Amino acid sequence: MDSLLLSLQLFQPLATFLALAAFSLLLLLLIPNLIARFTSSPHNNSSKLPPVPVVPGVAVIGNLLQLKEKKPYKTFTQMAEKYGPIYSIRTGASTLIVLNSAHVAKEAMVTRYSSISTRKLSNALKILTLDKCMVAMSDYNEFHKSVKRHILANVLGANAQKRHRLHRETMMENIMRQFNEHVKTSYDLAVNFRKIFVSELFALALKQAVGSNVESIYVEEIGSTVSKQDLYKILVVDPMEGAIEVDWRDFFPYLKWIPNRRVEMKIQKMHVRRTAVMKALMNEQKKRIASGEEVNCYFDHLLSEAKELNEEQLAILIWETIIETSDTTLVTTEWAIYELAKDKKRQDRLYEELRSVCGNKKITEDHLAKLPYLGAVFHEILRKYSPAPIVPLRYVHEDTQLGGYHIPAGSEIAINIYGCNMDKDRWDKPYEWMPERFLDEKYDPNDLYKTMAFGAGKRVCAGSLQAMLIACTAIGRLVHEFEWELEQGEKDNVDTVGLTTHKLHPLLVKIKPRIH
């Protein structure tokens, strides 16, 4: 969810907007104000921010054309090589300050946090998050502090992880069973890694959220029984797609009164279907509770401990744990298997470490602290393929300083996590995948925040411990019990989805059981 605001791939209505003669009078009225915006701070300050030049003749839309049909996080990183780690761009009516190094990013997230702690959401995200009613997307206020305490207490905190450990172990056993069944029945054929992994990961998410692995459920508003596969589409796939939907009015807020039916109807449909499914799931759990059956899940916890929440807020918070558990860990694990299957030397090195520590025993979470190379693989995947390459925009609500530059109130901040993790001043050969870099003694082996992937400061990712436990245990068991080889053509199959580092096409790999 965290990288979802800047893609111009879907920004086709821009051409229509520029062509409409009906806007002529409006633009004439706005031009004096726009010129004032484009010639005022931060660039007239003595500590002048490097600006990225706009395309001549289209100053009103700023740098938007330079981002069109590209990966914004990669475009920003390329711009950083020319303009430095902090610079400004124009996105329609807004000034966007882009941060591309860990130093300035941490300054923004920690030192200057009080001045830029407000979220700036797209129109799509306002609907999908019920206007910031999520831990990850809320402003830093009492609501955020309260719901973060709840999610840490029942789902993501250290004690909560201990209580949910059985669910994770069951997930891993089911994954390994399905890979073994594939070997028995289709030994010579490649296996769709994602199909197996994501199904069990979604089951884990449902257990933690509502207490059971729901195979199907009748949804009254939809008028039919929804299968588990369709549940995943409605609760995870569709919202992820909707979150990267860019409404051109996001860049021209003074034109928000102009309808954009295509986007509005698409997002609203997603919201209605998700709301209906969440209502059905919650009603089933209320029946269970009324019968006297209690389980350790987030829904039961919130009903008991967060009585101040209304039904809509409750549904969004439960849904948040489902989508975040189901997506980000998949990204990390799938790319790890891709890199290891491509690089037999490093796959063998990891296997030898696993063998030396675990022998013929199954790898468990108790072994992770004794497996430094496995930890290095995990952190190097996070560095190169951060699931959230751009932090959702933040709004500067008071004048502040970043990287020695004056940042005026009214600016927006984009923290380019991908750019931070590709910074040549910090990382040797940053575009190469080299887990060994994290074996350097300068890194604390117990530090989860070696890269910028989990953020920093008060908004540091609440799910970092769970991500590490699931991904590291999964990678360890998969390599310990199978040899991995990419299917022909998979080496170059590295395209990603929209703004994210989510692999566009499911990973296809050939597997062979190891003989211990």
Side-chain angles (χ1 to χ4, degrees):
M1 289 291 291
D2 280 351
S3 59
L4 309 173
L5 297 177
L6 299 175
S7 176
L8 271 297
Q9 292 178 328
L10 301 173
F11 197 56
Q12 299 304 319
L14 176 61
T16 304
F17 159 72
L18 294 175
L20 290 175
F23 292 160
S24 299
L25 178 60
L26 178 62
L27 288 175
L28 286 173
L29 293 173
L30 290 170
I31 282 173
N33 179 57
L34 290 170
I35 290 174
R37 276 184 176 271
F38 294 155
T39 56
S40 61
S41 62
H43 307 309
N44 291 337
N45 188 271
S46 56
S47 51
K48 185 178 179 182
L49 267 172
V52 176
V54 300
V55 178
V58 287
V60 169
I61 66 170
N63 299 101
L64 291 178
L65 291 179
Q66 292 163 273
L67 302 177
K68 187 180 179 184
E69 297 180 351
K70 297 180 181 179
K71 305 290 184 184
Y73 56 92
K74 293 186 177 180
T75 303
F76 289 157
T77 303
Q78 293 167 3
M79 289 177 173
E81 295 180 2
K82 183 174 182 179
Y83 301 103
I86 176 172
Y87 53 79
S88 67
I89 66 172
R90 300 292 185 185
T91 54
S94 301
T95 297
L96 185 65
I97 313 301
V98 186
L99 312 181
N100 297 275
S101 77
H103 176 72
V104 291
K106 287 180 178 178
E107 185 180 359
M109 290 189 278
V110 181
T111 310
R112 308 295 180 185
Y113 182 76
S114 61
S115 301
I116 56 172
S117 60
T118 304
R119 289 293 194 198
K120 183 76 170 181
L121 301 186
S122 66
N123 290 331
L125 280 178
K126 286 179 183 177
I127 295 172
L128 293 173
T129 67
L130 199 66
D131 198 12
K132 305 181 182 181
C133 286
M134 291 174 60
V135 178
M137 295 294 178
S138 61
D139 292 332
Y140 188 71
N141 51 27
E142 289 307 311
F143 174 82
H144 172 83
K145 295 175 186 176
S146 174
V147 293
K148 188 169 184 178
R149 282 196 297 270
H150 288 308
I151 199 170
L152 286 171
N154 186 262
V155 183
L156 300 177
N159 290 331
Q161 288 296 297
K162 292 176 183 178
R163 293 193 297 272
H164 288 296
R165 179 169 175 171
L166 179 61
H167 293 325
R168 296 193 299 277
E169 291 176 343
T170 300
M171 179 194 77
M172 279 310 309
E173 289 303 321
N174 289 339
I175 288 172
M176 301 309 291
R177 174 181 52 79
Q178 291 185 64
F179 280 122
N180 276 302
E181 287 176 356
H182 172 84
V183 171
K184 292 177 183 178
T185 60
S186 308
Y187 181 84
D188 294 330
L189 299 179
V191 62
N192 184 326
F193 176 86
R194 185 185 301 176
K195 184 177 181 180
I196 292 176
F197 192 82
V198 79
S199 175
E200 295 303 325
L201 192 59
F202 184 54
L204 170 68
L206 289 171
K207 288 178 183 178
Q208 291 185 159
V210 296
S212 62
N213 177 20
V214 181
E215 292 295 339
S216 64
I217 190 167
Y218 181 78
V219 180
E220 183 176 352
E221 288 82 354
I222 295 177
S224 64
T225 297
V226 177
S227 67
K228 184 178 178 182
Q229 184 177 358
D230 286 336
L231 282 175
Y232 180 71
K233 186 176 188 306
I234 293 170
L235 297 180
V236 181
V237 176
D238 288 349
M240 287 298 296
E241 179 184 339
I244 63 174
E245 184 78 55
V246 178
D247 187 337
W248 56 265
R249 296 171 300 180
D250 293 331
F251 304 102
F252 304 96
Y254 41 77
L255 301 177
K256 63 183 179 181
W257 52 272
I258 301 171
N260 189 358
R261 298 297 184 196
R262 183 188 69 83
V263 173
E264 290 171 352
M265 292 179 66
K266 180 178 181 180
I267 300 302
Q268 199 60 41
K269 181 180 179 181
M270 290 178 182
H271 172 61
V272 169
R273 286 169 62 82
R274 179 195 60 182
T275 300
V277 166
M278 289 306 302
K279 179 182 176 182
L281 288 172
M282 290 165 57
N283 284 342
E284 283 296 305
Q285 302 313 311
K286 287 178 181 178
K287 293 177 185 177
R288 168 182 56 77
I289 293 172
S291 72
E293 182 184 352
E294 295 183 5
V295 296
N296 172 34
C297 70
Y298 197 33
F299 179 75
D300 289 39
H301 171 85
L302 289 179
L303 277 188
S304 173
E305 304 297 330
K307 299 184 184 298
E308 72 279 4
L309 297 175
N310 61 40
E311 284 290 302
E312 286 184 314
Q313 291 172 327
L314 184 63
I316 288 293
L317 290 170
I318 299 297
W319 168 74
E320 178 180 16
T321 66
I322 294 173
I323 188 170
E324 291 178 354
T325 298
S326 300
D327 184 73
T328 54
T329 310
L330 165 66
V331 174
T332 304
T333 310
E334 189 170 35
W335 279 119
I337 297 302
Y338 165 83
E339 290 287 359
L340 290 166
K342 186 177 71 171
D343 190 335
K344 189 175 187 304
K345 181 179 178 181
R346 289 188 168 101
Q347 183 182 161
D348 289 345
R349 177 172 179 176
L350 175 58
Y351 173 69
E352 289 305 318
E353 178 183 78
L354 296 167
R355 280 277 293 164
S356 66
V357 172
C358 306
N360 295 330
K361 296 181 180 178
K362 293 179 181 178
I363 293 162
T364 69
E365 294 173 5
D366 297 326
H367 293 118
L368 298 183
K370 303 173 184 177
L371 298 165
Y373 193 66
L374 175 60
V377 167
F378 171 69
H379 287 292
E380 180 68 345
I381 288 294
L382 285 179
R383 186 195 67 81
K384 188 175 179 183
Y385 302 100
S386 175
I390 299 178
V391 173
L393 301 189
R394 296 183 182 182
Y395 184 75
V396 181
H397 54 82
E398 63 182 13
D399 289 358
T400 189
Q401 296 252 341
L402 281 177
Y405 297 107
H406 172 71
I407 309 297
S411 304
E412 296 175 52
I413 302 290
I415 301 174
N416 184 14
I417 299 298
Y418 177 85
C420 295
N421 289 334
M422 295 295 154
D423 184 357
K424 294 178 181 178
D425 291 335
R426 186 182 185 200
W427 304 101
D428 180 40
K429 300 178 181 178
Y431 291 94
E432 293 187 24
W433 188 72
M434 300 190 303
E436 299 76 27
R437 69 175 86 239
F438 287 105
L439 297 178
D440 193 302
E441 61 183 11
K442 69 181 178 181
Y443 294 110
D444 180 351
N446 297 315
D447 180 13
L448 282 176
Y449 306 103
K450 296 177 175 67
T451 68
M452 294 298 297
F454 292 125
K458 296 177 180 179
R459 295 301 296 260
V460 70
C461 178
S464 56
L465 177 59
Q466 176 175 271
M468 184 274 291
L469 291 173
I470 295 175
C472 287
T473 305
I475 296 165
R477 283 204 63 178
L478 291 167
V479 172
H480 189 234
E481 298 179 36
F482 294 99
E483 293 181 43
W484 297 83
E485 179 184 348
L486 292 179
E487 170 71 322
Q488 186 175 3
E490 277 295 296
K491 183 176 180 180
D492 299 322
N493 191 0
V494 294
D495 200 7
T496 55
V497 179
L499 290 178
T500 72
T501 57
H502 197 296
K503 202 171 183 297
L504 179 60
H505 302 290
L507 176 64
L508 300 178
V509 277
K510 291 185 176 180
I511 57 176
K512 179 180 177 182
R514 295 189 188 272
I515 300 174
H516 294 298

